[in-house]
């Protein structure tokens, strides 16, 4: 205890006062690390909020079910209910249907309508109507007694401006019907699903509204005590083949796994800012250790142990971590506000639908952010602390402070660097672990470390090669700058390392986002081609599950327009645990107007196979996730049909994180059954006439005839929408990127300031032997220029390697997709003036600070 | 003043330099009147804190007086600034410091050449001159060495070479022997005296030691920032 109080007091004396004297520097570093920590924390908290609301929603929704009976790609017929009723192992069961509906006339966004049998459901899910207990007649019975009644959650009722007993028109794919609000749900259990935007209705009413007579989405089951897996197998055997008994947590688990993987990706990205912040802490602690070497020697001479010195500097790092984290809290609360919404939106478009109610302060997440920030700062202080520990008391007796420079062999560092960089190759080739590209992330870390270690060698080379040339052509200041950099050793190279990291990150992300966007644009032009897309009402939000009614299909086919029609139907499927969409489409017409973005396989040979129905196309994501390649047999059970078709080609598709499989609609109908249309797109044949006008004309016709039953969107709007979602998704990345760059320019600022300040004595000497102020200023500018150019060059090189890893390793392993590699030179070039500017803005005030004391101070130094 | 008398190299009247310290001020030097003629070798004595370094800094153009008049080799230092001062430092004075102040990243030869190069002299000429000086100082075999590899005496001789490279008329040395043993100190003082004798340069040495007393033409003494009666001993 006494030792600790002594240490704290001594720390305040020795380090605290020093930091206070150089407060500006300390504050810049603090701000840098706080910014890094804030980004890291707020990103994690935002994803956590989505994760929390998703898994909570899924849990309430799953209720107490032990197994769930489904029919992949379709509906479970109620005909199986007698089998369940008769089976000795089954205790309870409850059929269930869900869909998204909207009030009519349209107002607000759609919400989830759940169809249940209120009696059977009692033992599965918790839901109660407000005021039920006081009355003798429980109002939920109204659901059964009276058709077309709904129960709403309170927020939904408020949003729709309705109350218990009022009437409400609900609109669905097939029709619109009037409901009576039978009650309001108490906010618990099922009422908390989907961000509390749900309505309950009786299953019979639901089926009538949607036309799904005798069909349900799924049947939840519980078993009697002491039911063995064998009993469940027996039940499975008694059920029709195309039905599957699934674990109720399967959907939740795959969803949470996806969100977690996304959280890891964003964490890694946001960690970059912290990583750059780490360089900042390192450079300041290293400066303090180096510039106070003599003091350290004196301390040692008067009896301080090496351990004490080590702890002093480690504590300095810890102080930065602690204060940085505390400062990060208010910063995070600002950032989180922006991130919360965009993160949940991204998760909803890419993975699973989430509705975030608000921020959830998870103690675990807070602990993680605290621990990571603290560890990073302590780790950053580790090396300078080791250095401080090695100061010998003898140095206190040395008079000439030429600066003891124990330079580690630059070549040896370079050898390590090459080793690190080479190690990236095997690591990038390794598969991810559990869907997470851990070896890839490790490779990225090694890449950064490698380039940072290479920096001293590089600076030495540049300095050596340039200084004679510079002396001749650029004069003395440039020469001195070159000489200084050549010999400055590890100190400068750390700052260059930080710069390399930030530039590399900038380069790599710019390339990645640009490539991604170019590829998506191409995909949108090709695969999302078409002039007008038509689907059932709310087809999009209901994932195109409901077919367009027959009479409308007949009407659409006979429409008098000069356009080709490409009908399609999508089935939501899983391959093992991996969710994908099986889409059948009018292949021949589609290929005539649009096309696929091919990855593997030859479009010319695949085309006839596709048209004859002897082949299908799988998306890159699907191929990567399932390992299915060209020529392999694709097998699936879709509703009643068993499908076995070889893969004819692999194409790029970016509609979701899941996979897609394309097959010919015509051939599907011939070989299996009539898949009907869940959507249709129109291509105008006459491309010379104004497409917009034709689209509007067609739209008007369709609205006039089936406006209440169909949703439609022009191809242009749809494509723009896709690109807009893309841009919104990457807005987060861009923000993170800009913050990393900001932290890096803080780094350049401190580095240059420090480089100048720690040489006050040398600069004064230069001044005393006849250098003019201008010469010194131009020397510093040359130094800044060298650092920036070297950092920028190496950063670009590192960034190109990194971009390859991001596109071909990280994206492939975490999302399953890659892109066509393209470089956005324009934006890349932008980073250069940005950083040069930051460097100059930093360098010039530093010179002024260096000469704040008159050079006469030189005569007073010993 | 007699018009025949030669113009002094150093001419100071009521020269003062005070440092602000909180609300009060600390005196560096106070109302100093000083004339030093060309070719003189003067020793500046005084207790620690008496203002020797302060005075030298003013004479070298490294600092500005707070009051008084100062003319060094015809340059009015009390009211010149910037480019003038730079030219003055390059051409007129050579400085030698107690702690040598060699630049650690330059080798010995480069350190010596530096002022000439800063002054814009051609590299070849600077190099030739530096070699000549270093030869004279017995450092010819150490040209490529870093300062850290030299002894204190060698460093101080290098610093003297550096002070001489631009052929200054005035050499200012602040405790040049302070960090040296007596033998090396002797060598350095002898070198400074030799410079004074052979080429008639004016030399001003601020020192505690008595090494230079016998060689000096004149001794001046500072006490609490003011000049007192000029005697060398005591
Ligand atoms: N930058 C400064 N700020 C405040 N006071 C100063 C400063 N420089 C010098 N002084 C004060 O001016 C006085 C003269 O200092 P100076 O360094 O000139 O003495 P000195 O004679 O050179 O001493 P020494 O023999 O120890 O080198 C001292 O009292 C000192 O405290
Ligand atoms: Mg002094």
């Amino acid at each position: 205890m006494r030792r600790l109080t002594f240490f704290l007091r001594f720390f305040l004396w020795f380090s605290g006062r020093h930091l206070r004297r150089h407060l500006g520097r300390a504050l810049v570093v603090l701000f840098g690390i706080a910014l890094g920590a804030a980004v890291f924390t707020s990103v994690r908290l935002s994803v956590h909020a989505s994760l929390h609301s998703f898994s909570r929603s899924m849990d309430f929704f799953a209720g107490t079910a032990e197994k769930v009976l489904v029919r992949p790609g379709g509906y479970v017929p109620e005909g199986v209910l007698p089998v369940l009723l008769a089976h000795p192992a089954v205790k309870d069961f409850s059929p269930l249907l869900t869909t998204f509906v909207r009030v009519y006339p349209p107002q607000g966004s759609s919400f989830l309508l759940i169809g249940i049998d209120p009696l059977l459901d009692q033992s599965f899910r918790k839901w109660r109507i407000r005021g039920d207990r006081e009355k003798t007649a429980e109002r939920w019975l109204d659901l059964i007694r009276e058709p077309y009644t709904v129960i709403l959650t309170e927020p939904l009722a408020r949003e729709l401006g309705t109350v218990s007993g009022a009437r409400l028109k609900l609109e669905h794919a097939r029709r619109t019907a009037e409901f009576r609000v039978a009650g309001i749900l108490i906010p618990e259990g099922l009422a908390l699903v989907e961000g509390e935007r749900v309505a309950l209705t009786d299953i019979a009413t639901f089926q009538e509204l949607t036309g799904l007579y005798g069909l349900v989405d799924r049947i939840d089951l519980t078993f009697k005590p002491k039911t063995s897996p064998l009993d469940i197998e027996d039940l499975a055997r008694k059920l029709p083949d195309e039905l599957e008994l699934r674990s109720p947590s399967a959907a939740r688990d795959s969803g949470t796994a996806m969100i977690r993987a996304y959280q890891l990706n964003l964490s890694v990205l946001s960690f970059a800012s912290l990583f750059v912040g780490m360089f900042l802490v390192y450079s300041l602690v290293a400066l303090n250790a180096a510039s106070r070497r003599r003091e350290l020697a004196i301390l040692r001479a008067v009896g301080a142990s090496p351990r004490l010195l080590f702890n002093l500097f480690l504590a300095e790092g810890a102080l930065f971590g602690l204060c940085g984290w505390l400062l990060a809290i208010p910063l995070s609360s600002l950032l989180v506000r922006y991130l919360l919404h965009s993160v949940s939106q991204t998760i909803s478009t890419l993975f699973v639908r989430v509705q975030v109610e608000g921020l959830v302060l998870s103690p675990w997440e807070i602990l993680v952010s605290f621990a990571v920030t603290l560890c990073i700062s302590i780790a950053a202080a580790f090396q300078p602390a080791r250095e401080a520990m090695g100061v010998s008391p003898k140095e206190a007796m040395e008079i000439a402070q030429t600066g003891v420079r124990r330079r580690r062999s630059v070549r040896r560092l370079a050898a390590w660097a090459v080793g690190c960089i080479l190690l990236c190759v095997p690591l990038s080739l390794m598969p991810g672990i559990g869907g997470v590209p851990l070896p890839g992330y490790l490779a990225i870390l090694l890449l950064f470390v490698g380039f940072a270690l290479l920096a001293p060698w590089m600076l030495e080379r540049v300095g050596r090669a340039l200084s004679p040339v510079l002396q001749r052509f650029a004069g003395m200041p440039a020469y001195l700058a070159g000489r200084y950099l050549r010999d400055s050793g590890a100190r400068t190279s750390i700052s260059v390392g930080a710069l390399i990291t930030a530039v590399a990150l900038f380069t790599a992300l710019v390339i990645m986002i640009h490539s991604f966007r170019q590829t998506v644009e191409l995909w949108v032009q090709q695969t999302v081609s078409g002039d007008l897309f038509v689907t059932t009402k709310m087809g999009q939000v209901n994932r195109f599950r409901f077919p367009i009614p027959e009479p409308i299909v007949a009407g659409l086919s006979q429409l008098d327009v000069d356009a080709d029609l490409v009908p399609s139907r999508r089935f939501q499927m899983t391959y093992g645990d991996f969710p994908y969409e099986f889409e059948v489409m009018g292949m021949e017409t589609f290929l005539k107007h649009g096309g696929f973005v091919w990855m593997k396989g030859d479009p010319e040979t695949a085309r006839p196979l596709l048209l004859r129905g002897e082949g299908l196309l799988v998306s890159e994501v699907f191929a990567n996730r399932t390992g299915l390649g060209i020529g392999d047999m694709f097998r699936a059970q879709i509703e009643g049909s068993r499908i076995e078709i070889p893969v004819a080609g692999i194409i790029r598709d970016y509609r979701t994180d899941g996979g897609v499989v394309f097959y010919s609609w015509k051939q599907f109908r011939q070989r299996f059954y009539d898949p009907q249309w869940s959507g249709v797109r129109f291509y105008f044949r006459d491309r010379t006439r104004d497409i917009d006008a034709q689209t509007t004309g067609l739209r008007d016709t369709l609205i006039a005839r089936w406006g209440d039953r169909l949703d439609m969107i022009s191809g242009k709007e749809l494509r723009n929408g896709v690109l807009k979602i893309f841009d919104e998704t990457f807005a987060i990345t861009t923000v993170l990127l800009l913050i990393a760059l900001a932290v890096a320019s803080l780094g350049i600022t401190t580095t240059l300031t420090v480089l100048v300040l720690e040489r006050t004595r040398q600069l004064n000497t230069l001044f005393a032997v006849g250098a003019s102020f201008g010469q010194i200023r131009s020397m510093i500018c040359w130094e800044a220029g060298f650092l920036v150019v070297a950092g920028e060059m190496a950063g670009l090189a590192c960034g190109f390697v990194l971009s390859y890893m991001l596109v071909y390793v990280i994206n492939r392993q975490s999302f399953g997709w890659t892109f066509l590699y393209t470089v956005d030179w324009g934006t890349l070039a932008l980073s250069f003036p940005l950083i040069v500017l930051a460097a100059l803005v930093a360098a010039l005030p530093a010179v002024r600070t260096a000469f704040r004391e008159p050079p006469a101070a030189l005569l007073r130094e010993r | 003043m007699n018009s025949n008398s030669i113009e002094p190299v150093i001419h100071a009247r009521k020269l003062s330099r005070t440092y602000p310290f909180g609300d009060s001020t600390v005196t560096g030097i106070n109302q100093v009147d000083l004339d030093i003629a060309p070719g003189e070798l003067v020793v500046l004595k005084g207790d620690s804190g008496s203002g020797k370094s302060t005075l030298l800094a003013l004479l070298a153009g490294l600092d500005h007086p707070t009051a008084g008049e100062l003319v060094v080799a015809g340059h009015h230092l009390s009211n010149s600034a910037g480019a003038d001062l730079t030219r003055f430092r390059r051409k007129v004075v050579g400085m030698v410091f107690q702690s040598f102040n060699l630049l650690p990243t330059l080798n010995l030869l480069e350190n010596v050449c530096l002022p000439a190069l800063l002054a814009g002299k051609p590299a070849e000429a600077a190099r030739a001159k530096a070699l000549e000086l270093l030869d004279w100082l017995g450092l010819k075999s150490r040209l490529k060495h870093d300062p850290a590899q030299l002894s204190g005496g060698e460093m101080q001789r290098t610093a003297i070479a550096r002070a001489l490279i631009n052929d200054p008329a005035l050499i200012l040395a602040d405790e040049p022997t302070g960090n040296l043993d007596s033998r090396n100190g002797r060598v350095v003082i002898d070198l400074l005296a030799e410079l004074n004798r052979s080429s008639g340069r004016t030399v001003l040495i601020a020192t505690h030691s008595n090494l230079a007393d016998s060689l000096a033409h004149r001794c001046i003494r500072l006490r609490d920032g003011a000049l007192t009666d000029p005697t060398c001993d005591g």
Side-chain angles (χ1 to χ4, degrees), chain B residues 197-220:
Chain B
R197 217 176 16 254
S198 60
S199 46
R201 280 179 240 260
T202 314
V203 175
L204 177 58
I205 306 173
T207 181
H208 285 292
S209 81
N210 299 327
L211 286 170
D213 291 1
S214 55
L215 300 166
H217 302 149
R218 184 145 73 98
C219 251
I220 53 177

Side-chain angles (χ1 to χ4, degrees), chain A residues 859 862, chain B residues 52-53 174-175:
Chain A
L859 293 168
R862 292 286 176 270
Chain B
K52 302 184 294 295
S53 298
D174 189 25
E175 302 276 12

Side-chain angles (χ1 to χ4, degrees), chain A residues 853-854 856-857 859-860 862, chain B residues 17-21 26-29 45-56 63 98 174-175 206-208 222 225:
Chain A
E853 296 250 313
L859 293 168
R860 298 178 47 77
R862 292 286 176 270
Chain B
R17 173 67 166 105
T18 53
Y19 302 97
F21 180 79
V26 175
T27 307
I29 54 167
K45 291 227 158 166
D47 298 335
S48 189
S50 56
K52 302 184 294 295
S53 298
T54 305
L55 179 60
L56 249 54
D63 198 2
Q98 172 173 1
D174 189 25
E175 302 276 12
T207 181
H208 285 292
L222 277 169

